[in-house]
């Protein structure tokens, strides 16, 4: 940034110093720094007028790379002048020294194996050339990127009012007004921020870094769908009709949908034994060879729940030795399982490791115990997108479809909220607060993914159809902003496996493009079916998520307790010093009020949303009455 002229700093040159070579090689640093093998140290030098978009792109690029396991750091012009260069003004000599120091610091970051992103006006060509030579002498890649925006556009973005002051003569020597900006003659890349979005600019930079083997090409394409290609669908259907079949359950079909749409990327089908063992023992997939690349942490991919296909002994005996068989649901062949393998379904061990209990009164444990004694793994090819024809299929967006939606909304942050219950104003407060914090952090277009779970749930949960009606009412009353919210259905069945399952919920949203995840109290938990106490400690889901491997591209938004404040007549964040003002309205109490047709306290839930709940419980009462009539 340019400003008032200050005296040139007199710099005393150091003498009697000898450069000391490091004992650690760059290749060794590349093995240790970050999560992707190979030395990737370089400097991305963003240059352009004030207001061109250097800082915006610099910070967005930093976030993009870090979320994909690439170590990097962004040096910003204003920030550097608060510390390292606080003693420098804006004279020609001081500007030259400012850029020289930054270039040397960037070289150190790059030498350490980081992608160093610098956002400086750096108006003079000779200073930028000097920065390049500093890197070239050290054998480090240097990429000059010109952030090219017309002067009038930069002035229109002038939130600090600097151009206005320069035009009024209050700031002398301001670049673009009374001090020249020397445009780069042959930069590695030109980004025209007046016609390209931030996401489009980031994509161009990433493609440049890919071409130079700084960013692995697997970083970009990270959703693996398992649908048969359109040009091969007729042949696949013909093949499926010739194959032996396995009749699958509705629960199995829900997992087919999860796999086919890419939520479990990089799985290529139902888990084989090696994958199953990795997941139940480590909570991760450790072998990424031959798979679509996603962000790896410590060489692992987070996957905390087994996605398996149980089969009965007679089916195993009938299909063992087949090179492929078709999966059939309600008389329709929906998929082909190729190169299958069968292994023993050790149910008690599976339940103990996933749920921490083998109590058959747990609803999902019960289903596991009653399922087949063998598991079939293999490569899955799904003939077409799974549809349920229940009036809700338009909400069942795949990860790729959601990413497209986020792009169309120009989202620079996506925060996801997983739920299987109706939304009350306490939930809404968490989402509103998250959006406010993201805006304060500099995001311009944060988008909420309100993502109710749409697969199997236990009998006493509110059915999906009614939950979707209730969510629509919440948006209709603008408790949440409809313009910045996407409501979609997550097709996974519910496991009620607490901290183990919450990792699955989070990583699935990561695959869909979310980079923030709101975790609630006791996520994916339930009371123990016998003791009625919490099966899982309510705060441990959030703690586990904050430590879980393989979730580097998602920032966890920790749960804050919200309760009904009787004085303010609203849901607000709990304050222990005013404990007597708060009323903790439990789910049991909420359901009791709804069943009895009574209203909750004002401010607990949007009135139209509450009305949906009361209608649901009235419908239950009618069904019970009709049963006994």
């Amino acid at each position: 940034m340019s400003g008032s002229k200050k005296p040139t700093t007199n710099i005393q040159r150091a003498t009697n110093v000898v450069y000391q070579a490091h004992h650690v090689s760059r290749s060794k640093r590349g093995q240790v720094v970050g999560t992707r093998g190979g030395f990737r140290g370089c400097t991305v030098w963003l240059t352009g007028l004030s207001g061109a978009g250097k800082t915006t792109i610099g910070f967005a690029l930093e976030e993009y790379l870090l979320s994909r396991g690439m170590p990097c750091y962004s040096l910003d012009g204003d920030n550097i002048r608060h510390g390292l260069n606080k003693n420098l003004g804006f004279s020609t000599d001081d500007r030259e020294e400012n850029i020289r120091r930054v270039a040397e610091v960037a070289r150190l970051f790059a030498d350490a194996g980081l992608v160093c992103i610098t956002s400086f006006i750096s108006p003079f060509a000779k200073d930028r050339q000097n920065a390049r030579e500093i890197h070239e002498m050290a054998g480090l890649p240097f990429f000059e990127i010109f952030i090219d925006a017309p002067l009038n556009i930069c002035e229109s973005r002038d939130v600090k009012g600097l151009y206005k002051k320069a035009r009024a003569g209050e700031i002398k020597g301001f670049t673009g007004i009374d001090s020249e900006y020397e445009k780069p003659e042959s930069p590695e890349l030109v980004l025209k921020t007046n016609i390209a979005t931030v996401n489009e600019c980031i994509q161009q930079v990433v493609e440049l870094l890919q071409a130079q083997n700084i960013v692995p090409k697997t970083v970009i394409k990270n959703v693996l769908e398992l649908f048969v290609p359109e040009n091969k669908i007729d042949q696949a259907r013909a093949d499926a009709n010739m194959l032996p079949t396995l009749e699958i359950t509705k629960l199995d079909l829900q997992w087919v949908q999860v796999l086919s749409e890419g939520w479990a990327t990089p799985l290529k089908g139902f888990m084989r034994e090696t994958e199953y063992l990795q997941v139940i023992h480590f909570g991760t997939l450790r072998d990424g060879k031959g798979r679509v690349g996603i962000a790896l942490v410590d060489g692992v991919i987070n996957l905390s729940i087994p996605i398996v296909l149980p089969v009965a002994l007679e089916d195993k005996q009938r299909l063992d030795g087949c090179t492929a068989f078709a999966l059939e649901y309600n008389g329709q062949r929906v998929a082909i399982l190729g190169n299958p393998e069968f292994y023993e379904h050790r149910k008690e061990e599976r339940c103990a490791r996933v749920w921490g209990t083998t109590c058959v009164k747990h609803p999902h444990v019960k289903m596991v115990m009653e399922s087949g004694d063998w598991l079939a793994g293999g490569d899955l090819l799904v003939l077409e997108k799974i549809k349920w024809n229940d009036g809700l299929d338009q909400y069942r967006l795949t990860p790729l479809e959601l990413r497209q939606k986020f792009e169309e909304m120009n989202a620079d942050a996506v925060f996801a909220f997983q739920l299987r219950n109706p939304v009350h104003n306490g939930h809404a407060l968490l989402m509103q607060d998250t959006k406010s914090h993201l805006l304060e952090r500099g995001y311009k277009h944060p988008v909420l993914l309100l993502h109710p779970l749409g697969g199997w749930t236990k009998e006493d949960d509110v059915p999906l159809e009614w939950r979707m009606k209730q969510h629509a009412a919440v948006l209709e009353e603008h408790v949440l902003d409809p313009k910045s919210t996407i409501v979609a259905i997550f097709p996974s069945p519910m496991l009620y496996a607490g901290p183990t399952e919450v990792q699955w919920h989070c990583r699935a949203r990561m695959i869909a493009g979310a980079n923030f995840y709101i975790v609630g109290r006791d996520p994916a938990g339930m009371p123990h079916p016998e003791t009625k106490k919490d099966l899982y400690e309510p705060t441990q889901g959030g703690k586990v998520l904050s430590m879980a491997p393989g979730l580097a591209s998602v920032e966890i938004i920790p749960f804050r307790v919200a309760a009904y404040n009787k004085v303010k007549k609203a849901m607000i964040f709990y304050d222990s010093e005013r404990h007597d003002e708060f009323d903790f309205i439990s789910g049991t109490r909420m359901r009791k009020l709804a069943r009895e047709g009574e209203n909750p306290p004002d401010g607990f839930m949007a009135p139209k949303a509450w009305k949906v709940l009361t209608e649901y419980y009235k419908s239950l009462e009618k069904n019970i009455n009709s049963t006994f009539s």
Side-chain angles (χ1 to χ4, degrees):
M1 183 195 306
S2 304
S4 302
K5 186 174 181 179
K6 295 182 181 180
T8 302
T9 303
N10 293 321
I11 301 171
Q12 185 176 355
R13 304 291 179 184
T15 58
N16 302 318
V17 292
V18 178
Y19 185 82
Q20 303 295 315
H22 287 274
H23 293 185
V24 178
S25 68
R26 286 179 182 167
S27 61
K28 182 63 177 177
R29 290 188 201 280
Q31 295 173 14
V32 176
V33 177
T35 63
R36 294 185 174 274
F39 181 80
R40 304 186 188 281
C42 68
T43 289
V44 177
W45 192 279
L46 307 180
T47 175
L49 294 172
S50 177
K54 300 180 300 300
T55 296
T56 299
I57 291 173
F59 285 156
L61 178 62
E62 178 185 37
E63 181 179 28
Y64 181 98
L65 295 177
L66 277 173
S67 71
R68 287 154 178 82
M70 297 286 298
C72 60
Y73 193 83
S74 184
L75 301 173
D76 182 72
D78 283 6
N79 293 350
I80 289 292
R81 284 187 177 271
H82 277 83
L84 177 67
N85 291 351
K86 66 189 298 183
N87 64 326
L88 296 179
F90 292 93
S91 68
T92 300
D93 288 345
D94 277 11
R95 284 179 169 181
E96 180 180 337
E97 175 60 15
N98 179 52
I99 298 305
R100 188 197 68 79
R101 290 185 192 179
V102 170
E104 292 287 0
V105 171
R107 177 185 64 82
L108 293 174
F109 274 102
D111 191 47
L114 280 72
V115 176
C116 184
I117 306 159
T118 68
S119 303
F120 292 80
I121 294 174
S122 44
F124 305 126
K126 66 180 181 64
D127 295 338
R128 299 194 299 267
Q129 180 60 30
N130 181 55
R132 182 185 294 274
E133 290 173 358
I134 286 171
H135 285 74
E136 288 177 348
M137 288 174 61
L140 293 164
F142 180 91
F143 306 104
E144 183 180 26
I145 298 180
F146 177 29
I147 311 301
D148 184 11
L151 180 59
N152 65 313
I153 296 294
C154 294
E155 289 196 60
S156 70
R157 298 171 177 170
D158 185 21
V159 294
K160 303 172 190 173
L162 299 177
Y163 279 102
K164 185 176 180 180
K165 290 180 180 179
R167 294 282 189 192
E170 297 175 27
I171 299 178
K172 302 295 183 183
F174 192 87
T175 303
I177 302 301
D178 57 353
S179 180
E180 184 183 4
Y181 176 81
E182 299 174 358
K183 292 185 178 182
E185 293 184 1
S186 55
E188 276 72 16
L189 185 64
V190 177
L191 299 176
K192 293 187 176 293
T193 59
N194 60 319
I195 59 176
T197 66
V198 173
N199 288 340
E200 289 168 345
C201 289
I202 297 305
Q203 197 62 43
Q204 290 181 58
V205 178
V206 170
E207 288 172 1
L208 167 67
L209 297 179
Q210 276 189 310
Q212 301 300 319
N213 295 318
I214 302 297
V215 173
K217 292 184 179 179
T218 54
V219 166
I220 293 178
K221 297 178 180 177
N222 55 359
V223 177
L224 179 61
E225 292 189 336
L226 303 180
F227 298 113
V228 174
E230 282 190 25
N231 63 340
K232 297 182 179 179
I233 188 68
D234 291 339
Q235 182 61 52
R237 288 189 186 282
D239 292 343
N241 287 333
M242 298 294 292
L243 291 171
T245 63
L246 175 70
E247 183 69 25
I248 61 174
T249 67
K250 184 176 182 179
L251 183 70
D252 297 331
L253 186 63
Q254 290 172 0
W255 286 121
V256 168
Q257 182 174 11
V258 166
L259 289 165
S260 65
E261 294 179 359
W263 297 100
T265 295
L267 284 183
K268 294 181 178 179
F270 284 105
M271 288 178 178
R272 298 177 182 276
E273 186 177 26
T274 54
E275 295 164 330
Y276 172 77
L277 291 174
Q278 289 172 34
V279 165
I280 68 166
H281 287 277
F282 312 134
T284 58
L285 289 174
R286 304 191 67 85
D287 180 11
K289 294 179 181 179
R291 302 181 179 281
V292 172
I294 62 174
L296 305 182
V297 174
D298 299 329
V300 301
I301 299 166
N302 185 286
L303 192 51
S304 58
I305 62 165
I307 301 178
V308 293
L309 180 62
V311 297
L313 174 61
E314 53 270 27
D315 286 322
K316 183 259 184 187
Q317 291 173 335
R318 176 172 59 87
L319 298 170
D320 206 359
C322 294
T323 57
F325 56 84
L327 303 183
E328 187 174 271
Y329 178 74
N330 283 350
Q332 181 179 352
R333 300 181 189 215
V334 296
I336 296 171
L337 195 71
N339 301 311
E341 68 170 76
F342 296 92
Y343 53 102
E344 188 179 354
H345 189 186
R346 300 185 66 84
K347 303 173 190 178
E348 189 172 11
E349 180 187 13
R350 174 185 170 189
C351 293
R353 292 190 178 278
V354 175
W355 284 274
T357 182
T358 57
C359 178
V360 293
K361 293 182 181 178
H362 184 292
H364 208 119
V365 170
K366 182 176 184 290
M367 290 195 297
V368 171
M369 292 299 194
E370 293 174 351
S371 66
D373 293 333
W374 292 83
L375 297 175
D379 299 332
L380 191 66
L381 274 177
V382 180
L383 300 178
E384 63 182 5
K385 186 176 179 181
I386 305 299
K387 293 187 177 180
W388 300 94
N389 300 314
D390 56 359
L392 298 175
D393 283 327
Q394 72 269 26
Y395 293 105
R396 293 184 173 94
L397 302 179
T398 69
L400 288 177
E401 288 170 339
L402 282 169
R403 287 181 174 219
Q404 181 62 36
K405 286 273 190 183
F406 300 147
E407 187 174 332
E408 291 169 0
M409 296 174 73
N410 199 25
D412 55 0
V414 176
F415 58 108
F417 189 65
Q418 141 83 30
L419 67 168
R420 70 173 197 272
N421 291 309
V423 174
H424 58 60
N425 288 354
H427 299 135
L429 179 63
L430 279 172
M431 293 180 262
Q432 293 161 353
D433 186 64
T434 299
K435 181 178 180 180
S436 296
H437 278 90
L438 292 174
L439 290 169
E440 289 171 5
R441 287 170 58 171
Y443 292 98
K444 304 298 183 186
H445 304 289
V447 169
L448 166 64
L449 173 59
L450 188 64
H451 213 199
L453 182 137
W456 174 89
T457 57
K458 55 191 176 68
E459 287 184 358
D460 59 346
D461 282 349
V462 177
L464 177 64
E465 174 193 0
W466 288 94
R467 282 184 281 132
M468 292 299 289
K469 290 178 182 178
Q470 197 266 353
H471 301 341
V474 168
L475 289 172
E476 185 181 342
E477 295 209 29
H478 287 80
V479 176
L480 298 171
D481 179 13
K483 293 181 180 178
S484 61
T485 301
I486 293 177
V487 181
I489 294 172
F490 177 44
S492 175
M494 191 73 197
L495 275 70
Y496 305 94
T500 298
E501 185 177 6
V502 75
Q503 296 174 70
W504 159 243
H505 291 167
C506 180
R507 68 93 69 188
R509 277 46 178 241
M510 176 182 78
I511 294 296
N515 42 15
F516 296 90
Y517 185 81
I518 303 172
V519 58
R521 179 190 179 277
D522 195 21
M526 61 170 282
H528 191 286
E530 292 182 335
T531 68
K532 305 307 178 185
K533 295 180 180 179
D534 287 332
L535 187 55
Y536 310 103
E537 201 285 321
T539 67
Q540 287 185 353
K543 292 173 183 175
V544 167
L545 268 189
S546 67
M547 300 182 290
L551 299 179
S553 66
V554 182
E555 182 176 329
I556 306 303
I557 307 297
F559 172 74
R560 293 177 64 189
V561 177
Y564 184 76
N565 185 280
K566 294 175 285 188
V567 176
K568 296 188 176 182
K569 294 185 176 180
M571 296 291 286
I572 67 172
F573 290 121
Y574 174 67
D575 181 353
S576 60
E577 294 182 0
R578 296 184 293 156
H579 176 77
D580 292 341
E581 295 181 11
F582 288 91
D583 183 4
F584 290 86
I585 301 173
S586 67
T588 301
R589 181 175 159 198
M590 180 183 75
R591 288 188 289 271
K592 183 175 184 294
L593 288 170
R595 282 193 193 99
E596 296 174 356
E598 296 183 19
N599 290 324
D602 290 343
F604 173 74
M605 184 182 290
K608 290 182 180 179
W610 180 258
K611 185 179 178 182
V612 172
L613 268 191
T614 59
E615 288 174 354
Y616 163 63
Y617 284 109
K618 284 180 182 177
S619 73
L620 284 184
E621 190 175 324
K622 288 179 182 177
N623 289 339
I624 292 172
N625 291 337
S626 64
T627 300
F628 288 96
S629 59

